[in-house]
Amino acid sequence: MTALLNRGIMAAALLCLTSVTLAQTKIIVMTDTHVMAPELLINDGPAWQNNVDNDRKMIDYSRLLFDLMIERLKNDIRPDWVFITGDLTKDGELLSHNYVADKLEELLHAGIHTLIVPGNHDYGTGNAVYYDGERRRPAERANGQLMDSLYAHFGMSSADREPTTLTYACEPVAGLTVIGIDSGTRGELSATTLDWVCDKAQKAIHAGKRVIALMHHPIIPHITGIDKMTGPRTVAKDHETIRNRLTDAGVSAIFTGHFHIGDMAKDYNENLTDSIYDISTGSLISYPCEYREVTINKELTEMQISTHHITTLPDDPNFEKTSKNRLKKSIKRIVKGRTGKAKFPKNLATNKIANFVAKAAVVHAEGNEHKSSKAKRRNATFNRMVKVANLLMPNNKMLKRHGLTMNDIKTLVHSMLKNKTSYGIDGRENVTDDQQLTIRLKNL
């Protein structure tokens, strides 16, 4: 623990306490790396293979992909900053946190600074375990205090700290305030935390600075209606309030993760007088294994975002295909598990629905659905499936049991396949490019 507390003290003194002026600033944003320390796999066997087979995340590739990104950052990309928006670790294991912190230390020694915010998995889940043949046994988890120490020089050391969470504000580039927001395990912000964040943003704006934020949970439902079906698993709780408050406080954009799908979306404050962008980046360990490159000009008036993917590995030149097949397989398994219990005709439940959802998930993961011919074909297929479902199940008892209607399902699918946020909502419906985007940064 002493080594933990002493590690990087000099680096911590530099991070967020001083700022630099650059001709332009290059930032790499990645998220949901879910790194699993190698020591957690004691012996391969049924326990580990069951985890691999039943998880949408490619945990078995997590360390390899993270290490590859670290090497690319040090040797090829050479950004000024790296932002990681939560779920750094598989399930909050202390060993995994140590592994991630050591790698971020490597970046720091190479002159590349990092800012992080915690995700829900980083606080530890019941899947924080060792895998030993047929058995699983609990592994030590990191709590907030340990994360505060581990990541002290990756944002947590800022002199501007909200007293009740791991939320902070800093100025890594002169004139640019970055607020790292801790949304906890359930995507909730207390009134105290939200007030603190908005106060920092407003003061920065009034001082002539620009403001962006980092948070794990999105503040915009990137698929309209997804929050009705999944709640805090995909979007922050009371996201409308958070969105309105941050927009009114002058935050130009917030970088998020959690959903494991990359999607850039714009929405507005309550009276539609101002807007904010939610830049949700896809997980590094879920197809298409993406990260963002952000360039901010010297005047801090403009932020350009481009999207990149890991498509090859040293031992797998066809990794893009490998990861796509893993996503399809996992989605089919999830859908079959849920619809197989419903009173559908068997072929519809187990094959057509599963195949459709898997293909739609791939299209959505690839982004820019409004430009995709595949998305148009999937949408046409969905419309035909709705007609069949209405004939076979006119009362939709299964949907009613879940408090849903067929209109809810149609809204969700059309929003996803047409790349429209706030689908069907007057004044809010919006299509935003998911791959390349230029954002004007607000000021007074």
Side-chain angles (χ1 to χ4, degrees):
M1 181 62 71
T2 301
L4 225 169
L5 293 173
N6 289 333
R7 183 171 56 180
I9 293 297
M10 291 303 294
L14 295 175
L15 180 64
C16 290
L17 301 182
T18 60
S19 56
V20 296
T21 301
L22 303 171
Q24 65 177 20
T25 302
K26 182 162 74 171
I27 302 165
I28 293 297
V29 180
M30 56 184 178
T31 191
D32 293 83
T33 54
H34 288 282
V35 175
M36 174 179 158
E39 298 90 342
L40 294 169
L41 180 57
I42 298 174
N43 288 301
D44 196 354
W48 171 239
Q49 292 305 320
N50 183 63
N51 180 78
V52 171
D53 290 341
N54 291 284
D55 197 335
R56 181 165 70 100
K57 305 182 295 293
M58 297 188 293
I59 295 295
D60 47 327
Y61 282 90
S62 64
R63 188 164 55 92
L64 176 61
L65 288 167
F66 190 68
D67 289 356
L68 177 64
M69 274 303 302
I70 295 297
E71 291 306 309
R72 285 189 181 182
L73 291 167
K74 289 191 301 182
N75 301 316
D76 301 320
I77 303 173
R78 298 295 306 174
D80 303 297
W81 289 86
V82 175
F83 295 166
I84 308 180
T85 58
D87 279 358
L88 292 86
T89 61
K90 173 182 167 288
D91 284 288
E93 309 90 354
L94 182 57
L95 285 169
S96 298
H97 277 294
N98 279 325
Y99 189 94
V100 171
D102 285 343
K103 287 295 178 179
L104 298 186
E105 191 86 29
E106 288 184 21
L107 288 183
L108 193 57
H109 290 162
I112 301 169
H113 295 280
T114 303
L115 293 178
I116 68 104
V117 289
N120 53 303
H121 279 256
D122 293 323
Y123 282 99
T125 78
N127 288 320
V129 297
Y130 290 94
Y131 297 92
D132 189 359
E134 297 183 353
R135 299 187 306 117
R136 298 175 6 144
R137 57 182 175 84
E140 184 180 0
R141 307 177 191 178
N143 55 27
Q145 184 177 8
L146 280 170
M147 281 193 286
D148 198 347
S149 299
L150 272 170
Y151 301 112
H153 43 296
F154 305 122
M156 306 304 176
S157 68
S158 173
D160 237 348
R161 280 286 298 273
E162 193 272 318
T164 65
T165 66
L166 298 179
T167 299
Y168 61 89
C170 63
E171 191 175 340
V173 177
L176 177 69
T177 293
V178 177
I179 303 178
I181 306 172
D182 177 6
S183 54
T185 59
R186 297 181 58 82
E188 297 179 78
L189 300 187
S190 68
T192 299
T193 300
L194 186 55
D195 286 345
W196 188 93
V197 168
C198 292
D199 179 66
K200 294 300 174 185
Q202 289 169 338
K203 287 180 178 176
I205 289 292
H206 287 136
K209 301 172 184 178
R210 270 73 171 184
V211 183
I212 60 175
L214 316 176
M215 190 166 90
H216 183 58
H217 295 82
I219 63 169
I220 297 174
H222 290 264
I223 301 175
T224 305
I226 193 71
D227 50 314
K228 184 174 182 179
M229 299 186 187
T230 60
R233 286 182 291 173
T234 53
V235 70
K237 185 176 181 181
D238 296 327
H239 58 273
E240 298 98 335
T241 299
I242 299 171
R243 179 198 67 218
N244 291 338
R245 294 283 306 278
L246 293 184
T247 306
D248 289 338
V251 179
S252 297
I254 183 167
F255 290 90
T256 64
H258 188 58
F259 196 30
H260 283 230
I261 296 293
D263 191 272
M264 296 196 269
K266 181 172 76 170
D267 207 336
Y268 304 86
N269 57 358
E270 189 170 10
N271 57 12
L272 306 180
T273 59
D274 201 359
S275 63
I276 188 171
Y277 285 90
D278 184 325
I279 313 300
S280 181
T281 301
S283 168
L284 194 67
I285 63 165
S286 299
Y287 177 79
C289 306
E290 75 176 32
Y291 59 94
R292 311 275 196 192
E293 182 173 318
V294 180
T295 303
I296 302 177
N297 64 356
K298 181 180 179 180
E299 296 76 20
L300 303 180
T301 58
E302 192 173 88
M303 181 166 67
Q304 294 183 334
I305 303 169
S306 60
T307 307
H308 305 269
H309 309 97
I310 296 178
T311 58
T312 63
L313 295 177
D315 295 329
D316 187 357
N318 297 313
F319 178 67
E320 182 177 27
K321 183 177 181 179
T322 300
S323 59
K324 183 188 289 189
N325 288 338
R326 283 283 293 268
L327 177 60
K328 286 181 181 179
K329 181 180 177 182
S330 65
I331 294 296
K332 285 181 182 180
R333 184 170 50 248
I334 291 169
V335 173
K336 287 181 179 181
R338 293 181 180 177
T339 61
K341 299 175 183 178
K343 294 181 179 179
F344 286 142
K346 185 177 181 182
N347 66 330
L348 181 65
T350 60
N351 291 318
K352 290 187 177 180
I353 291 179
N355 288 335
F356 169 78
V357 174
K359 291 177 180 178
V362 167
V363 169
H364 182 52
E366 291 170 346
N368 279 353
E369 301 90 327
H370 61 295
K371 300 179 180 180
S372 168
S373 59
K374 288 190 292 185
K376 290 179 181 178
R377 292 197 298 272
R378 303 290 173 260
N379 196 54
T381 299
F382 172 73
N383 291 334
R384 292 193 295 270
M385 292 174 70
V386 168
K387 290 180 180 180
V388 173
N390 285 334
L391 287 173
L392 295 175
M393 302 171 295
N395 295 321
N396 263 308
K397 292 181 180 179
M398 186 199 74
L399 293 178
K400 289 179 180 179
R401 284 199 299 270
H402 293 281
L404 300 170
T405 67
M406 184 57 75
N407 282 335
D408 293 330
I409 302 299
K410 288 194 288 186
T411 293
L412 183 146
V413 174
H414 289 319
S415 172
M416 180 174 70
L417 293 178
K418 295 180 180 182
N419 197 27
K420 291 185 178 181
T421 51
S422 299
Y423 182 82
I425 302 175
D426 289 343
R428 290 189 178 276
E429 187 175 85
N430 191 268
V431 175
T432 305
D433 194 297
D434 297 325
Q435 303 297 322
Q436 309 282 336
L437 187 64
T438 299
I439 297 174
R440 297 287 296 179
L441 297 177
K442 303 176 192 176
N443 65 346
L444 281 179

